Amino acid sequence: MAREWLLAVDLGTTWTKAAYTTADSTDPVLVRVPATQLAWFPTAVARSSDGRWLVGDAAQARRTSRPDWCWSEVKRELGQHEPRMLGGHPFGPVEAVTQPLLYAARQARRQAGRGFDRLTLSAPVIFSDEQRAVLVEAGENAGFAPDTITIVDEGAAAARSVLGPRPEDGTWVVADIGGGTFDAALVTADRGVAAVIDQVGDDRAGAHAIDTAIVARLRERYQIDDGDGEAGRRRAGYLRDAARMLREQLAEQRSADVFLPDLLLELTLTPAQLGELVEPVLAPAIEHCAAMLARNDLGWEKINALVLSGGASRDPAVRARLAPLAALRDAANPELAVVLGLTVPAEAPSRTILSLRY
């Protein structure tokens, strides 16, 4: 039987990534955005003045002038039925979330020079059957038949790509901490073969929740009100951007500051303040992990290591909170672990991609 061409799309809360494998090789090829050559683009959509869909960076640019015409982090509203007004017209979540998939598929076809036989999508472990059905529907809208679409839990996908071609025998917790969710897989390895035996997830323990906590702290500290109408929506967008930039600066340096243009304010954040905000965000996810271990007659002391993936796993405040639990190990490419894992066949869960550069 001939091998199939596979397209894998990690539709994240903040960023979407895609990769593919060919009939001749199972080595993944990252799909890159032509304008930036990056292997990811914002999971955001918007409507243009002439009624076209804008995706990724183009949608984010639209938010600057018309925030009410832009829909960021569309994944968070999958499974809801309330439409959103964009450019004076109502659109449901499935129609909006189809656009990043279409964009990724078009870029992949352009890069590969042909179409794909199968589509694999990621989903948080906590997604309901209804939310997964919406993902399948979006995949159909992107041109794939239902029987060619596979959905893989994000924690399991990350585990497929991070533990090595012949993982050391033992027990591991692989945690993917992304923009919107915290997904963890309990993995055992025996004689070089790894298997996922349990999973948990939390949709309030990703970078989005941390940024929300930072925004609340900024509003309180600098007495920033919401504002009204479009001006208020624009300010809310500025504040969320400022929170993300402050958090990302603290991943590289010991202090962070961002200028808020519409209020002429210089906003600051220290590592200690960020640590205070991270603690309550991560606490429920850590409890879920402890419960997962307990129901498998395990504790943190019996874990070889806590393996981290996802963009938020780089944050020092996040790492500091997780370090007391178990020895920490990092995925080779934390931001890409899930999409790379989606390209690994389920029957080969221990394959890894360590040398891929981005």
Side-chain angles (χ1 to χ4, degrees), residues 155-218:
R160 289 181 184 180
S161 71
V162 302
L163 288 180
R166 288 189 60 81
E168 174 189 344
D169 287 359
T171 306
W172 317 83
V173 173
V174 179
D176 181 69
I177 314 171
T181 59
F182 181 113
D183 290 89
L186 179 60
V187 185
T188 60
D190 182 32
R191 288 173 287 187
V193 178
V196 175
I197 61 173
D198 205 345
Q199 296 184 82
V200 292
D202 192 314
D203 65 352
R204 297 162 298 172
H208 180 277
I210 297 173
D211 290 347
T212 298
I214 295 173
V215 168
R217 173 66 63 88
L218 294 176

Side-chain angles (χ1 to χ4, degrees), residues 217-296:
R217 173 66 63 88
L218 294 176
R219 287 186 181 279
E220 178 184 8
R221 180 180 178 187
Y222 294 97
Q223 299 183 339
I224 301 172
D225 60 28
D226 291 334
D228 299 318
E230 187 170 321
R233 287 190 291 271
R234 185 176 290 110
R235 181 175 298 169
Y238 286 150
L239 277 172
R240 183 157 289 278
D241 289 345
R244 174 182 52 79
M245 287 187 283
L246 288 167
R247 176 173 54 81
E248 291 176 351
Q249 284 182 39
L250 290 177
E252 305 291 338
Q253 55 197 48
R254 298 299 300 168
S255 62
D257 57 84
V258 170
F259 183 68
L260 190 67
D262 71 329
L263 291 178
L264 301 179
L265 278 176
E266 188 82 17
L267 310 178
T268 64
L269 192 69
T270 68
Q273 291 168 340
L274 180 58
E276 292 173 2
L277 298 175
V278 163
E279 166 61 33
V281 170
L282 288 185
I286 293 172
E287 290 179 7
H288 294 326
C289 288
M292 174 181 67
L293 293 173
R295 65 174 173 256
N296 289 280

Side-chain angles (χ1 to χ4, degrees), residues 5-263:
W5 285 63
L6 169 71
L7 175 63
V9 180
D10 174 22
L11 183 76
T13 301
T14 308
W15 303 98
T16 293
K17 303 121 185 173
Y20 62 88
T21 57
T22 72
D24 300 320
S25 174
T26 58
D27 291 334
V29 179
L30 291 172
V31 177
R32 298 188 180 275
V33 179
T36 64
Q37 286 302 298
L38 295 175
W40 49 78
F41 59 87
T43 308
V45 299
R47 298 290 287 179
S48 68
S49 56
D50 59 0
R52 293 177 294 109
W53 282 104
L54 304 174
V55 179
D57 293 311
Q60 294 285 60
R62 182 66 166 162
R63 191 186 69 176
T64 302
S65 59
R66 294 302 302 265
D68 55 326
W69 289 42
C70 181
W71 192 343
S72 299
E73 302 180 344
V74 296
K75 179 182 176 183
R76 296 188 68 82
E77 298 187 41
L78 284 186
Q80 299 185 20
H81 303 288
E82 283 293 320
R84 177 176 292 200
M85 298 296 292
L86 297 176
H89 300 281
F91 296 97
V94 66
E95 188 171 4
V97 83
T98 293
Q99 306 311 313
L101 287 183
L102 274 172
Y103 182 83
R106 287 169 183 157
Q107 298 301 331
R109 284 196 297 268
R110 187 173 294 124
Q111 187 171 317
R114 58 152 289 166
F116 296 90
D117 304 304
R118 298 194 63 82
L119 172 67
T120 303
L121 300 172
S122 63
V125 66
I126 61 169
F127 257 25
S128 65
D129 290 342
E130 182 180 5
Q131 289 171 306
R132 292 168 190 267
V134 172
L135 276 179
V136 172
E137 184 179 350
E140 291 180 67
N141 293 342
F144 291 85
D147 60 352
T148 68
I149 301 172
T150 303
I151 296 179
V152 178
D153 292 326
E154 291 175 1
R160 289 181 184 180
S161 71
V162 302
L163 288 180
R166 288 189 60 81
E168 174 189 344
D169 287 359
T171 306
W172 317 83
V173 173
V174 179
D176 181 69
I177 314 171
T181 59
F182 181 113
D183 290 89
L186 179 60
V187 185
T188 60
D190 182 32
R191 288 173 287 187
V193 178
V196 175
I197 61 173
D198 205 345
Q199 296 184 82
V200 292
D202 192 314
D203 65 352
R204 297 162 298 172
H208 180 277
I210 297 173
D211 290 347
T212 298
I214 295 173
V215 168
R217 173 66 63 88
L218 294 176
R219 287 186 181 279
E220 178 184 8
R221 180 180 178 187
Y222 294 97
Q223 299 183 339
I224 301 172
D225 60 28
D226 291 334
D228 299 318
E230 187 170 321
R233 287 190 291 271
R234 185 176 290 110
R235 181 175 298 169
Y238 286 150
L239 277 172
R240 183 157 289 278
D241 289 345
R244 174 182 52 79
M245 287 187 283
L246 288 167
R247 176 173 54 81
E248 291 176 351
Q249 284 182 39
L250 290 177
E252 305 291 338
Q253 55 197 48
R254 298 299 300 168
S255 62
D257 57 84
V258 170
F259 183 68
L260 190 67
D262 71 329
L263 291 178

